[in-house]
Amino acid sequence: MGRRRSRRSLQRRLERAVEHPHGPGKRLTADARLRSELALCRTYRIPHSQFKGAGTGTWTERDRTKALAYEDYLRGACPQCGTREDEWLDTEGDYQEAYVAQSHKCFGCEEIAAKQREIPDGPSGDGLKVLLMPAGVLAAQRVIDELTSA
């Protein structure tokens, strides 16, 4: 009976964390490792208990509650920069500088942008996509093309 009562208590605490992410159960916002684990679980579509090595792959109530809380957490983040409003506010609700924007040059993105400028406008360019391929793979592909066309 005591085990059943503690399981119900845990379930209620997890449900409150989903309903009130800034109240009890702030672990998801404070625990980067838990967020990383839940992100992997989301990607591989497995319950957290299975990820931790304790489950059989069956979604428990606790797994579902964590997954729902994580989805709620994701909805609260900006789709462009990934930050959350509460990261920018102090305990009194006043703005605080939480991040500093810096520029960073990505050579892969530069290469993609240069190739995209070569794609013609109109029907001849419709549907064309640019992808990055390792230079060695492209060189090997060219050798194979030469050998098979000769």
Side-chain angles (χ1 to χ4, degrees):
M1 183 74 171
R3 184 171 171 84
R4 207 175 255 167
R5 190 173 295 147
S6 66
R7 197 175 285 172
R8 271 186 264 164
S9 172
L10 174 64
Q11 181 180 345
R12 281 194 299 271
R13 286 196 316 262
L14 290 171
E15 287 169 354
R16 278 195 307 270
V18 170
E19 294 168 7
H20 307 287
H22 303 293
K26 282 183 78 173
R27 180 174 174 217
L28 192 56
T29 55
D31 190 341
R33 181 179 174 95
L34 176 61
R35 287 193 310 275
S36 294
E37 290 175 2
L38 292 173
L40 279 172
C41 292
R42 183 177 195 251
T43 299
Y44 294 114
R45 299 177 181 203
I46 61 170
H48 189 244
S49 58
Q50 184 181 13
F51 173 81
K52 298 289 279 185
T56 62
T58 302
W59 285 77
T60 65
E61 184 63 32
R62 185 174 185 188
D63 290 324
R64 288 189 293 275
T65 302
K66 284 181 183 178
L68 288 169
Y70 183 66
E71 290 300 317
D72 188 52
Y73 173 84
L74 292 177
R75 279 190 296 279
C78 172
Q80 184 172 341
C81 70
T83 66
R84 300 170 51 81
E85 186 175 337
D86 60 9
E87 293 176 282
W88 294 94
L89 303 175
D90 63 18
T91 55
E92 283 81 43
D94 295 325
Y95 172 83
Q96 65 180 2
E97 188 173 26
Y99 296 90
V100 176
Q102 292 186 317
S103 58
H104 167 79
K105 183 167 189 115
C106 175
F107 296 110
C109 290
E110 179 183 36
E111 191 71 20
I112 288 171
K115 187 56 94 172
Q116 284 174 328
R117 285 191 292 274
E118 297 175 14
I119 296 175
D121 290 333
S124 61
D126 289 351
L128 288 178
K129 304 283 186 227
V130 177
L131 61 94
L132 286 178
M133 181 181 293
V137 172
L138 181 59
Q141 185 63 50
R142 288 181 177 159
V143 168
I144 290 170
D145 290 346
E146 286 178 21
L147 291 174
T148 57
S149 67

